[in-house]
């Protein structure tokens, strides 16, 4: 019943996998698909984003609707304020860093609490050409904000998002990959979490042809907390890949990774990589990662690979769990034995599966939209 | 007036080795609304199999015989259609359904069984009243179905559904097991309220006579080796209380 497919352990230690960093695409070879970080990704469907050939431009519009307390600037590539927190970890990311036209930079001043979410809308209008993007969100110490990244439309898009959470600050990011079905999107979201800061990140990936999103966290001081959540629903032909990396290099930090996905239809493919490293100096670390996949039809493929590397003996907690399986027959039987028809019972169980995760999202206005988007997938 | 008629019912399951094993070997039973039947038997005699086969659990294959409700072929119906036709199974081990609240579940089930959604206000009133009848804390309405419920809470939740879904025939599968005496009385009161209302029949499956002190059966069937080996009135239960099942098991030549 709980058919765990493709849970292949990697051979290299997690710490080694994430060693290579550069702003220069030439420092990374063109991926062939045999590399650890590319082996699950359908390179042929990336429309050349990973190659070295020049690409025609497309059309992506980035608009920001900020909370009144925050500042938003558009800054040209090359400015020294960009790329401070994150150095690209793969070729596409480096290519985005050297190719975008203008970055959107959101700053929340010290001690300021944003009164409403800041929404950055990324809308694609042309899947034929490629567009590169860059976003920086910086919370100065003790600031608090919620930021929504709302991706819609048709695009071939690669971008980097730098999230700087100052000491004692609290940042919640919700990233919606609500793309049209012809979009290819490759993205890195990297958070630098300050001393006693709190960071939550929720990826909601429902649309797109190929979406490869890599949320990562590094701690810049002790006592930081990071909670990474994800919800995805892969339909026929969709490739939805989430590559998590939490780098514990500071004392007494905490991380939680919870990703839940559902798959249905021929060649629906979900990939979840959960890399966590606890370095020698990161004593008192508390980490747990969890991935659960609901396989709704035949012909789908799940690759779920948790990797935990622990380099200190003094951890508070370190664990992971991964399971992929079908809907539980005894759940369906129980509901149907009360008169509820099969389709309705199935919807109830799937809604329940995602419900708790949706309820945790810091923007209540989004709950209904996400719930109905999931319902639409089931219809 | 409803009639549940079970004729020469044979049921098999497939064991882990892939072999078909016959559990029920020709069950005959006719029950009508207004009646309470108790099925008593030792562990492994097939009592629960009878309950699940009537409810339509896919694990149990009916190889022979028939089950009808008011002449309608129950075995031809899907699991949910059987419930809508008026059959209810209170389960021995109710499933926990993560992320589905009791109130959402009840409202969905009531909508399915009655054919139209109840008005929210009336539904809440009805649900709260039924919960109060069974001494269920109102906070349970917002908890996930059976998740983290104690054994007694699960059984009360089953009887709550019985009360709200108002079936014609209720099959109660070891609803008394694992209950302390106070919880047993609450559950028995619920069953008695149900059968006191016209048009309701109860098939009570139990290992012990304890619950029969609170829910007096009209008929008692002794179930051994996958079939009914003796029938009688309430006095048969008393007899079993003193003599046990041993005599029947020996006579039937079947493993207990």
């Amino acid at each position: 019943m709980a058919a765990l497919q493709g849970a292949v352990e990697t051979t290299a230690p997690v710490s080694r996998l994430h060693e290579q960093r550069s702003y220069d695409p030439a420092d990374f070879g063109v991926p062939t698909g045999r590399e650890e970080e590319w082996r699950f990704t359908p390179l042929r469907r990336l429309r050349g984003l990973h190659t070295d050939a020049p690409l025609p431009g497309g059309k992506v519009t980035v608009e920001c609707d900020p909370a009144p307390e925050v500042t938003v600037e558009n800054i040209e590539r090359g400015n020294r304020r960009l790329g401070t927190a994150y150095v690209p970890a793969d070729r596409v990311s480096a290519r985005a860093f050297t190719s975008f036209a203008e970055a959107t930079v959101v700053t929340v001043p010290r001690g300021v609490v944003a009164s409403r979410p800041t929404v950055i809308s990324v809308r694609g209008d042309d899947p034929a050409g490629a567009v590169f993007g860059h976003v920086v969100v910086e919370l100065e110490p003790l600031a608090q904000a919620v930021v929504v990244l709302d991706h819609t439309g048709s695009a071939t898009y690669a971008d980097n998002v730098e999230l700087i959470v100052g000491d004692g600050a609290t940042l919640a990011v919700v990233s919606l990959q609500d793309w049209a079905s012809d979009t290819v999107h490759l993205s890195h979201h990297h958070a630098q979490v300050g001393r006693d800061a709190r960071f939550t990140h929720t990826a909601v990936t429902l649309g797109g042809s190929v979406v490869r999103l890599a949320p990562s966290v590094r701690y810049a001081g002790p006592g930081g907390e990071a909670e990474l959540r994800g919800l995805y629903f892969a339909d026929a032909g969709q490739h939805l890949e989430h590559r998590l990396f939490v780098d514990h290099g500071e004392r007494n930090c905490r991380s939680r990774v919870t990703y839940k996905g559902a798959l249905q239809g021929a060649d629906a493919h979900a990939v979840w990589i959960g890399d966590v490293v606890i370095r020698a100096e990161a004593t008192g670390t508390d980490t747990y990662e969890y991935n659960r996949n609901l396989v709704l039809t035949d012909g789908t493929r799940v690759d779920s690979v948790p990797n935990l590397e622990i380099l200190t003996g003094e951890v508070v907690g370190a664990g992971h769990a991964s399971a992929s399986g079908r809907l539980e027959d005894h759940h369906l039987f129980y509901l149907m034995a009360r008169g509820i028809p099969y389709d309705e019972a199935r919807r109830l169980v799937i809604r329940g599966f995602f419900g708790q995760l949706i309820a945790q999202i810091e923007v209540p206005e989004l709950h209904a939209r996400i719930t109905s988007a999931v319902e639409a997938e089931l219809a | 007036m409803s009639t549940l008629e079970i004729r020469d019912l044979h049921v098999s399951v497939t064991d882990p080795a892939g072999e078909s094993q016959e559990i029920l070997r020709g069950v005959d039973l006719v029950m009508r609304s207004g009646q309470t039947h108790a099925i008593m038997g030792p562990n492994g005699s097939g009592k629960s199999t009878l309950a699940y086969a009537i409810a339509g659990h896919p694990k149990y294959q009916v190889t022979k015989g028939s089950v009808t409700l008011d002449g309608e072929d129950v075995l031809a119906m899907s699991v949910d259609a059987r419930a809508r036709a008026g059959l209810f199974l209170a389960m021995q081990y109710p499933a926990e359904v993560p992320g589905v609240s009791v109130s959402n579940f009840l409202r969905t089930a009531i909508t399915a069984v009655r054919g139209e959604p109840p008005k929210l206000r009336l539904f809440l009133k009805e649900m709260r009243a039924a919960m109060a009848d069974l001494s269920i804390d109102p906070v349970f309405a917002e908890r996930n179905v059976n998740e983290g419920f104690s054994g007694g809470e699960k059984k009360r939740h089953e009887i709550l559904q019985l009360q709200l879904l108002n079936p014609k025939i209720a099959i109660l599968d070891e609803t008394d097991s694992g209950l302390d005496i106070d919880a047993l009385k609450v559950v028995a009161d619920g069953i008695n309220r149900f059968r006191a209302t016209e048009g309701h029949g109860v098939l009570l499956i139990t290992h012990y006579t304890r619950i029969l002190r609170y829910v007096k059966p009209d008929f008692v069937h002794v179930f051994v080796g996958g079939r009914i080996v003796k029938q009688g009135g309430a006095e048969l239960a008393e007899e079993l209380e003193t003599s046990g099942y041993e005599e029947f098991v020996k006579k039937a030549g079947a493993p207990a």
Side-chain angles (χ1 to χ4, degrees):
Chain A
M1 185 65 71
L4 180 63
Q5 303 164 34
V8 188
E9 294 300 322
T10 52
T11 46
V14 178
S15 51
R16 192 83 54 74
L17 288 173
H18 298 271
E19 256 171 13
Q20 198 188 5
R21 300 273 162 175
S22 173
Y23 296 106
D24 183 358
D27 288 343
F28 303 93
V30 173
T32 63
R34 285 188 295 274
E35 301 79 4
E36 180 55 39
E37 69 267 39
W38 291 106
R39 67 186 174 110
F40 295 114
T41 312
L43 296 175
R44 264 176 301 170
R45 289 165 62 187
L46 299 188
R47 300 184 186 138
L49 281 174
H50 64 297
T51 63
D52 46 11
L55 298 168
K59 185 159 188 272
V60 168
T61 311
V62 180
E63 281 169 344
C64 186
D65 174 19
E69 301 83 1
V70 315
T71 61
V72 181
E73 301 159 88
N74 293 320
I75 295 181
E76 274 180 27
R77 174 157 49 85
N79 189 301
R80 276 185 306 166
R81 287 169 62 195
L82 308 177
T84 61
Y86 175 66
V87 182
D90 65 41
R91 183 179 174 84
V92 177
S93 177
R95 199 170 190 196
F97 192 80
T98 50
S99 308
F100 70 87
E102 217 175 38
T104 303
V105 178
V106 174
T107 308
V108 188
R110 184 184 176 94
V112 164
V113 177
S115 58
R116 66 172 180 87
T118 293
V119 180
I120 301 172
S121 305
V122 179
R123 198 186 65 248
D125 284 313
D126 172 18
V131 175
F132 299 95
H134 197 94
V135 171
V136 178
V137 175
E138 179 166 11
L139 268 65
E140 293 180 358
L142 304 169
Q144 279 185 39
V146 175
V147 174
V148 177
L149 291 158
D150 189 1
H151 303 93
T152 56
S154 297
T156 299
Y157 188 59
D159 68 332
N160 295 300
V161 176
E162 296 182 83
L163 305 161
I164 302 163
V165 193
D167 293 350
T170 301
L171 172 63
V173 171
V174 182
S175 185
L176 306 168
Q177 286 64 246
D178 204 1
W179 296 109
S181 58
D182 57 356
T183 289
V184 172
H185 181 205
L186 277 68
S187 185
H188 282 259
H189 290 189
H190 178 75
Q192 176 185 303
V193 177
R195 183 184 189 110
D196 299 325
R198 179 169 162 72
F199 170 66
T200 63
H201 182 278
T202 309
V204 179
T205 307
L206 302 171
S209 168
V210 176
V211 175
R212 182 181 141 120
L213 174 60
S216 58
V217 170
R218 195 180 67 80
Y219 297 90
E225 273 190 44
E227 195 174 326
L228 307 171
R229 312 175 198 123
L231 181 167
Y232 48 89
F233 202 122
D235 279 317
Q238 268 188 312
H239 175 94
L240 305 182
E241 178 168 350
H242 296 89
R243 309 182 66 89
L244 286 298
F245 175 44
V246 182
D247 188 344
H248 279 279
E250 293 282 344
R251 287 175 295 117
N252 302 328
C253 291
R254 185 175 182 276
S255 65
R256 288 289 179 275
V257 176
T258 307
Y259 268 65
K260 286 183 165 190
L263 297 94
Q264 67 181 8
D267 299 319
H269 189 192
V271 178
W272 179 83
I273 309 293
D275 287 351
V276 175
V277 58
I278 305 173
R279 297 185 190 278
E281 55 274 32
T283 54
T285 293
D286 182 4
T287 178
Y288 195 83
E289 44 173 358
Y290 172 94
N291 177 227
R292 175 103 164 74
N293 292 288
L294 210 46
V295 178
L296 299 175
T297 67
D298 291 334
T300 66
R301 181 185 161 90
V302 181
D303 292 288
S304 178
V305 189
N307 291 308
L308 178 56
E309 185 185 4
I310 307 175
L311 302 168
T312 170
E314 289 174 61
V315 295
V316 172
H320 59 70
S322 161
S324 302
R326 294 187 174 274
L327 283 175
E328 300 279 359
D329 285 338
H330 66 280
H331 291 163
L332 293 176
F333 176 74
Y334 189 74
L335 298 176
M336 289 173 72
R338 300 305 178 240
I340 302 171
Y342 174 79
D343 285 345
E344 177 83 20
R346 185 171 170 269
R347 259 199 299 279
L348 264 183
V349 173
I350 296 167
R351 209 185 288 158
F353 175 71
F354 286 125
Q356 216 179 354
L357 206 61
I358 294 173
Q360 285 178 308
I361 295 175
E362 289 84 352
V363 189
E365 296 86 342
L366 289 176
H367 295 182
R369 173 174 160 194
I370 296 167
T371 302
S372 60
V374 170
E375 301 275 304
E377 300 273 358
L378 294 170
Chain B
M1 179 76 162
S2 296
T3 307
L4 178 71
E5 206 170 324
I6 301 164
R7 292 289 180 208
D8 193 27
L9 190 67
H10 290 250
V11 171
S12 296
V13 296
T14 307
D15 68 16
E19 300 284 324
S20 181
Q21 297 244 9
E22 186 165 63
I23 309 284
L24 300 189
R25 302 181 166 113
V27 179
D28 286 285
L29 179 70
V30 178
M31 61 173 294
R32 298 191 163 80
S33 47
Q35 299 176 342
T36 298
H37 292 243
I39 290 194
M40 303 193 62
N43 286 330
S45 58
K47 305 185 302 285
S48 286
T49 298
L50 177 63
Y52 278 98
I54 296 169
H57 194 287
K59 184 178 150 195
Y60 302 95
Q61 297 116 33
V62 176
T63 54
K64 196 179 169 194
S66 66
V67 179
T68 58
L69 179 63
D70 299 330
E72 297 279 328
D73 182 0
V74 169
L75 299 178
M77 299 178 197
S78 60
V79 174
D80 50 311
R82 295 179 196 203
R84 292 195 299 274
L87 290 172
F88 179 88
L89 170 62
M91 297 187 204
Q92 190 180 358
Y93 304 110
E96 302 186 0
V97 191
V100 179
S101 73
V102 166
S103 99
N104 184 15
F105 161 64
L106 292 175
R107 192 149 187 261
T108 309
I110 288 172
T111 303
V113 165
R114 295 185 193 166
E116 60 176 354
K119 289 210 165 58
L120 185 59
R121 202 171 50 84
L122 293 176
F123 161 72
L124 289 173
K125 206 174 144 191
E126 193 185 350
M127 178 181 72
R128 284 178 193 139
M131 289 174 90
D133 286 345
L134 291 160
S135 310
I136 298 174
D137 189 324
V139 300
F140 275 76
E142 293 319 312
R143 289 182 53 182
N144 292 335
V145 172
N146 291 319
E147 209 175 59
F149 288 22
S150 69
E153 286 161 352
K154 283 181 180 169
K155 297 302 172 71
R156 274 186 276 170
H157 182 233
E158 294 294 287
I159 301 304
L160 173 68
Q161 295 166 54
L162 170 68
Q163 196 163 329
L164 292 171
L165 297 178
N166 194 35
K168 293 172 183 160
I169 303 285
I171 303 164
L172 310 176
D173 186 16
E174 308 229 7
T175 297
D176 52 331
S177 69
L179 295 182
D180 63 29
I181 193 68
D182 294 326
L184 181 69
K185 282 179 181 165
V186 168
V187 162
D189 285 348
I191 298 167
N192 286 330
R193 270 194 304 278
F194 173 76
R195 63 189 193 130
T197 322
E198 206 174 316
H200 289 164
V202 171
L203 182 61
L204 198 64
I205 293 174
T206 182
H207 183 80
Y208 305 103
T209 51
R210 192 176 62 150
I211 192 170
L212 304 181
R213 272 180 241 146
Y214 304 97
V215 183
K216 279 273 174 241
D218 305 303
F219 304 93
V220 172
H221 310 267
V222 182
F223 207 81
V224 175
R227 61 163 73 95
I228 291 165
V229 295
K230 186 168 184 180
Q231 288 173 298
E235 75 288 346
L236 183 53
E238 316 274 330
E239 201 181 301
L240 286 167
E241 174 78 31
T242 47
S243 60
Y245 297 114
E246 210 166 307
E247 174 206 341
F248 297 104
V249 173
K250 265 191 222 148
K251 231 185 263 174

